[in-house]
Amino acid sequence: MASDLYTVMLWEQAVAEFNDCVMPYVREQEAKYNNHPDLPMRREEWNNFTDMLCKDNRISDWQYENWSQPDVCDGDCYHRRS
């Protein structure tokens, strides 16, 4: 995987990219069904996203294994859209 990297993405950068690139799709899927946050889907998408970052050597193995999920995965930011 991605060990001994010289530069890595910070958690805040990953969350911003996740919110910009993945969450629009997630919200679209939620709107199709009941227009409520699907927290398991959000968490799975975050896990898939960080897995992709690690495999692309954008984050380290340690980051992949230790990062917490962003607030949006708990539904806290569902109605706060920019």
Side-chain angles (χ1 to χ4, degrees):
M1 295 275 263
S3 58
D4 299 329
L5 300 176
Y6 292 107
T7 61
V8 292
M9 173 184 281
L10 300 176
W11 182 84
E12 293 82 5
Q13 294 169 312
V15 170
E17 187 173 325
F18 178 77
N19 287 334
D20 290 343
C21 300
V22 179
M23 281 307 297
Y25 165 78
V26 170
R27 287 192 174 108
E28 182 180 302
Q29 296 304 307
E30 291 169 341
K32 286 183 181 179
Y33 296 102
N34 62 10
N35 214 27
H36 293 311
D38 183 339
L39 302 183
M41 179 172 59
R42 290 174 178 217
R43 292 174 185 139
E44 181 176 355
E45 290 298 331
W46 172 254
N47 291 338
N48 292 340
F49 178 72
T50 55
D51 182 60
M52 179 268 307
L53 293 177
C54 188
K55 288 178 179 173
D56 286 349
N57 293 326
R58 294 176 63 196
I59 64 172
S60 68
D61 294 338
W62 185 92
Q63 289 171 299
Y64 174 69
E65 293 168 3
N66 290 283
W67 274 359
S68 61
Q69 297 191 341
D71 289 342
V72 73
C73 292
D74 292 328
D76 297 343
C77 300
Y78 185 70
H79 295 290
R80 205 175 6 154
R81 297 184 186 179
S82 46

